[in-house]
Amino acid sequence: MRNIDSISHVTGKSIYVDDIPELADTAHSVILSSPIAHGKLLVINTEEVDAHKDLIKIITTKDIPGENQIGGIIQDEELLVDKAISFIGQPVAIIVAKSLDSAYEIREKIRLEYDEVRPIIDPVIAFDKGMIIGKPRTFQIGDTENAFTRCDKIVSGSVITGGQEHIYLETQGAYAFPTESGHKIISATQAPTVVQKGVSKVLGIAMHKIEVEVTRIGGGFGGKEDQATPYACMAALASYITKKPVKLILDRIDDIKMTGKRHPYVAQYKIGMVGKKIFAYEVTFYQNTGASADLAPAILERILFHTTNSYFIPNVKATALSCKTNLPPNTAFRGFGAPQSMFVLESAIHKVAKEIRVKPEEIQEANLISDEDEFPYGQIAENVKISKTWNQLLPMVRKHIDQVEDFNDSNNYVKMGYSFMPITFGISFTNTTLNQAGALVHVYQDGSMGISTGAIEMGQGVNTRILEAVAHKFSLSPNRIKIETTNTTRVSNTSPSAASATHELNGKATQLACDKILSRLLGLASEITNSDIKSVSLSDEFVHVDKKRTTLSWNDLVQKAYLKRIDLSAHGFYSTPKIYFDRTIEKGHPFAYHTYGTAFVQVKVDCIRGIYELERVVIVHDSGKAFNTEIDMGQIEGGVVQGLGWMLLEDLVYDEKGKLLSNSLSTYKIPDVHFIPKEINIEFLKGYDNPLGLMGSKAVGEPPFMYGIGGYFAVRNAMAEFNETDMKYHAPLTPERILMGLYGK
Ligand code: LUZ
Ligand code: MOS
């Protein structure tokens, strides 16, 4: 089934926050933010604008009726600067005006006075100064100290990974208006309940007075898991104070400046080999957290969960800590720490492979995880498919490897390279509590259905998948089913649409609700047809008895149920079984299952210019018993391209004052049609059932991102064919860095 949104997307009918027809008297707002990264706010001088004809209100901390606090995991983030300034772009005041143009004009004329202090940008300097958020965490298995004494080769090194700007198509924004009893907020969020809670706290009123509604959002990628909340809070605050509908939509410049990004990391590692086996691995991750925690503690945790990626390593010690710097608080981004973690281990493998003169893929293949192996966090690997994906991929790429070798034999200045990238990604929120979802299902008198869940449609196709699951359950035509907006008054306590688990959690909750209605309807059908309940079923919109079609149609059945006063609505609730994690010992069974896959990336590097072309990506991906391979393909293609962009293109450059220099799309390069691999060939692992997934499938949202890591090593391998240098393991490997690296600079 094709994505149910595709027609409305390409015809421009899909509604985003900024497309909502405005209510009469709607006010417009912009945010005045800090131009310095570190210091103390002294005065907000509004003299020049106080008499502006369109000014409605300038809102500062003193206007907040509830708490000036939006920290989720740790209460360390003010909504508006009170005194302490800790990053460039930190919100100081909200300007509410009669028109958007006037709001911008007023912002220009407000003068901020402050004392400036030297900012800290580098996480290791922050660490040296003791600027740590939360507690360091360590995951451990075996005994690394002892194990290193038994290794025949030990290599250590350091690795830097850059951040990444989300560049969702729709920028952050919200539209808030007063209702009879409270406020309604239409928010571009992945997490309606986080918004509801945040607004309730800032306004100092109960959650039931706050209604949050989302039709869909124009991309999220993690950037709207936590960070849609401040903008929704500001719009709600402005609406509360002015008693008007208030719109707050960031322009792209403000969005890039103010919002957090993927966390950059610095890591130091030591890897010990016995032959081709990785015997010991120690690593410390320094997370560049930015000015406050946001989701950093959870991301730090996932970096530890994926320390060993697809490999079994018997002796591991991995430590991670959050370093507080004067950057916008960094946040969730597809993969949630796992990509950074996997890149470090791949760098270690790449470096040690050179030293022991084997190909990296020989080490990769020799250490792939199998059933019964223990992850450093205590979970025992079951139903492992990583070698299966590797083995299905190999014959698909042999001819490409030959092509690379032939090409390099006959070319001096242009070189090809390739790399393999296996991925193993844990499915479930690492915070066990979040693995829950609710759904509300209505059957109307005409036999059509409305489905409400906590899932946010952000382009990933979750609505299509849920619709498909319902159609399957009732054997109904898809056009009888409508997926409603996500609204906190219909489905409460929603977990963020995140962690690749959204369609699974919400889809399963929906199925459970459907089961309740189905059993009532089948009970009635057995009465009407005078047959045993076990023999009645629904198929092609008719009641069947012993698989034979009766004259009782779906419509008749629903109509009869209504007349008999049978409940045609149901609520369903799902919580993932069996998962737990004990943080006091850092052991448990945090993931319902793992998604696996292996990619092969082939590139061509122009060694005179330092530029490259992505020749092909070949992937074998495990989607369980995939039930919508079109949507899976979309996720895999998008993920791998986004991952390649992170590794090879997207460079966040800050100056020493903490100002982002690559602050627009002219300087911050994201994948475009010229960058995208010339060929992307995806095969699914031969299907098998995954009972913990929706209809036997597996979660697919984040895992493919990490295939992009292969691009980094493919480029390095091509470069080494021209000139082997001891270039640092520093991502992104932009054309500039390639050029310098090729000549040992
Ligand atoms: N968000 C979250 C996530 O809150 N917890 C997670 O474990 C997670 N994992 C991936 C992406 N987002
Ligand atoms: Mo996410 S990084 O699944 O919001």
Side-chain angles (χ1 to χ4, degrees), residues 316-333:
V316 178
K317 185 176 177 192
T319 299
L321 26 95
S322 289
C323 308
K324 182 172 164 140
T325 59
N326 295 110
L327 295 180
N330 287 313
T331 194
F333 197 139

Side-chain angles (χ1 to χ4, degrees), residues 622-653:
D622 155 34
S623 254
K625 204 171 80 191
F627 75 89
N628 191 324
T629 50
E630 297 279 300
I631 284 179
D632 285 356
M633 285 281 191
Q635 288 294 301
I636 297 167
E637 289 176 354
V640 67
V641 169
Q642 198 170 37
L644 287 164
W646 172 57
M647 284 277 103
L648 294 171
L649 207 56
E650 302 181 36
D651 204 5
L652 293 164
V653 181

